[in-house]
Amino acid sequence: MAKTPNLSHGRDYLAIPGPSVIPDAVLRAMHRSSPNIYEGELIDLTATLIPDLKAVARTDHSVAIYIGNGHAAWEAALVNTLQEGDKVLVPSSGQFAHSWANMAAALGIDCEILEFGKQSPFDIDRISEVLAQDTAHKIKAVLAVHVDTSTGIRNDPAAIRAALDALDHPALLMADCIASLGCDRFEMDDWGVDIMVAACQKGLMTPAGLGFVFFNDRAKRARASLKRVSNYWDWTPRADPEFYYQYFGGTAPTHHLYGLRAALDMIGNEGLENVWDRHAILAHAVWAAFDAWGREGSLRMNAADPAYRSHAVTALRIDPPYGTKLRAWAQKEIGLTLGMGLGMAPSGDRAWHGFFRLGHMGHVNGHMILGALGGIQAGLRALKIPHGSGALDAAADVIAGQRGP
Ligand SMILES: *Cc1c(COP(=O)(O)O)cnc(C)c1O
């Protein structure tokens, strides 16, 4: 007997805010035998990655590569600059600030969290006030998440640098660009960021497994002042290796390096400014659709003001349990995976039923975004979730160049 037809057969679409869609070129580059790790091609290829990574981060300074995820890069940034008993200031616009702070706290670092809730960016005046009161300069670093992936809120690291400079406060400025790198504009050197952490599986379009820490001379001085840093996490030999294995503190992540090379080539060929602009236009198409849907029913973007919405991910609120139902429908019926709510429940449940996220980072183009939005439209209808009309037309107008950004 014939089974019920199901429209999920075809290419799956992982539209979550990381890991992101892996380009075929990256997959192909990784599909090969293991290279010689002592000499030749891989050594040469690794050397080419360093300047290209720095170009994407907009820095002339140093980068250390870790075999690890974003959490590894978080820890690396902390242990190379801080020690037990040091204090840090952690402004928060969502879950990721808290997770980074938890990691610091586990290292014995005293974290002062400045909470701005789940729907607002950092209030720079409040950050300034706290820094101004710290006349003894006990605060050694400000840990700033650029784009908080749980809320879709984008913050302004340059404004924190301005606040630090205005007060002549020596704290290091650390930025978490794990979600934003290669999606939202970020200028490490121009914005005065001392340390930036990233990973390869979001805007850099490579399977999870590489973490990056970019650091400048001020950060190097902080490292030099520490009594010790564990051999494995020490960024010094990784950024300035005498022998090839020191790049990775051991065996090279061979296939990830081939994949990353292909991804950086794609970014280089498109041009970083064009990559940012593509993300901006696609984000505006997404927002146009959600604006239209939100004119009736309960579906709303989490960040009310587009000025502080990320171009990499959009977080949505909807009457529970519609968030969970919509995600389940899209997964089962059309092969579209939407992101769950992270840290959104009052109780702290990881997946809250009144929340979901749409990732639009990395290897995404106009037809993919229209496809994801069309899938959401179908889900809203199938599940009889109240919503406004005209969403797909509104998104198509943006893609057609007939409306913003
Ligand atoms: C994804 C993400 C992380 C965590 O990265 P993992 O690779 O999952 O460890 C941290 N911060 C932000 C802003 C992220 O988007």
Side-chain angles (χ1 to χ4, degrees):
M1 211 173 76
K3 290 186 183 157
T4 320
N6 176 279
L7 305 181
S8 69
H9 300 274
R11 181 173 278 223
D12 290 331
Y13 182 1
L14 186 65
I16 70 173
S20 63
V21 173
I22 305 173
D24 290 343
V26 171
L27 290 172
R28 273 198 302 274
M30 299 179 79
H31 190 87
R32 50 159 298 156
S33 57
S34 284
N36 185 343
I37 58 163
Y38 306 117
E39 59 189 19
E41 182 200 9
L42 186 73
I43 283 81
D44 299 340
L45 179 142
T46 305
T48 70
L49 295 174
I50 305 302
D52 291 355
L53 283 168
K54 291 188 206 172
V56 174
R58 298 283 186 140
T59 182
D60 291 331
H61 296 284
S62 301
V63 60
I65 306 177
Y66 293 87
I67 300 183
N69 51 20
H71 282 72
W74 270 349
E75 181 145 338
L78 297 173
V79 301
N80 275 284
T81 51
L82 301 164
Q83 57 195 340
E84 195 170 347
D86 282 348
K87 181 173 176 183
V88 297
L89 182 63
V90 191
S92 167
S93 295
Q95 177 64 33
F96 286 92
H98 289 270
S99 303
W100 199 4
N102 283 343
M103 183 175 267
L107 292 166
I109 294 163
D110 175 17
C111 300
E112 179 170 348
I113 294 181
L114 257 188
E115 183 59 63
F116 297 109
K118 290 169 179 164
Q119 295 185 278
S120 307
F122 301 162
D123 176 343
I124 299 298
D125 292 341
R126 273 187 60 205
I127 295 177
S128 272
E129 276 165 33
V130 174
L131 291 169
Q133 281 160 16
D134 179 38
T135 49
H137 295 164
K138 287 206 154 54
I139 296 171
K140 298 295 179 210
V142 180
L143 275 50
V145 176
H146 183 213
V147 165
D148 201 301
T149 324
S150 64
T151 56
I153 303 280
R154 183 183 56 213
N155 288 297
D156 181 4
I160 303 179
R161 165 50 60 204
L164 287 164
D165 287 355
L167 294 162
D168 231 344
H169 197 295
L172 293 168
L173 176 56
M174 300 193 191
D176 169 349
C177 294
I178 297 171
S180 55
L181 190 68
C183 305
D184 286 284
R185 175 178 290 276
F186 177 79
E187 308 269 3
M188 175 161 166
D189 292 353
D190 281 1
W191 293 2
V193 172
D194 298 305
I195 296 162
M196 187 270 272
V197 297
C200 68
Q201 79 273 23
K202 301 192 185 183
L204 298 186
M205 307 177 287
T206 303
L210 298 177
F212 310 103
V213 181
F214 300 85
F215 56 98
N216 67 11
D217 294 342
R218 295 183 71 235
K220 272 188 196 171
R221 287 196 288 278
R223 159 70 191 86
S225 74
L226 295 182
K227 271 202 293 261
R228 70 177 80 84
V229 174
S230 86
N231 240 326
Y232 186 77
W233 289 110
D234 192 354
W235 65 29
T236 312
R238 290 173 185 263
D240 194 12
E242 204 178 328
F243 305 103
Y244 182 70
Y245 78 90
Q246 292 177 312
Y247 270 121
F248 311 105
T251 303
T254 50
H255 289 66
H256 274 80
L257 299 180
Y258 288 111
L260 182 64
R261 181 64 268 160
L264 290 171
D265 284 343
M266 291 175 68
I267 291 172
N269 290 336
E270 185 179 350
L272 185 59
E273 300 269 351
N274 292 332
V275 171
W276 288 336
D277 288 347
R278 171 167 53 83
H279 281 85
I281 295 167
L282 295 176
H284 278 77
V286 166
W287 304 343
F290 282 111
D291 272 334
W293 281 321
R295 278 185 211 114
E296 281 170 53
S298 65
L299 182 53
R300 297 283 183 281
M301 281 178 275
N302 182 57
D305 186 342
Y308 51 78
R309 271 186 216 142
S310 167
H311 295 163
V313 52
T314 300
L316 289 317
R317 289 173 181 268
I318 192 166
D319 280 348
Y322 287 146
T324 304
K325 283 193 154 175
L326 189 63
R327 283 193 300 107
W329 184 90
Q331 179 73 61
K332 181 162 170 277
E333 301 296 337
I334 60 169
L336 171 69
T337 308
L338 299 169
M340 65 176 190
L342 203 61
M344 280 300 148
S347 64
D349 286 353
R350 279 173 63 78
W352 188 32
H353 304 307
F355 206 91
F356 69 98
R357 294 174 298 160
L358 178 64
H360 32 93
M361 51 172 56
H363 192 54
V364 283
N365 59 20
H367 84 75
M368 294 165 76
I369 291 302
L370 287 172
L373 295 172
I376 292 169
Q377 173 76 72
L380 293 170
R381 290 204 181 193
L383 299 167
K384 300 193 166 49
I385 299 173
H387 60 277
S389 61
L392 296 182
D393 279 339
D397 280 348
V398 177
I399 302 280
Q402 284 164 10
R403 209 174 127 165

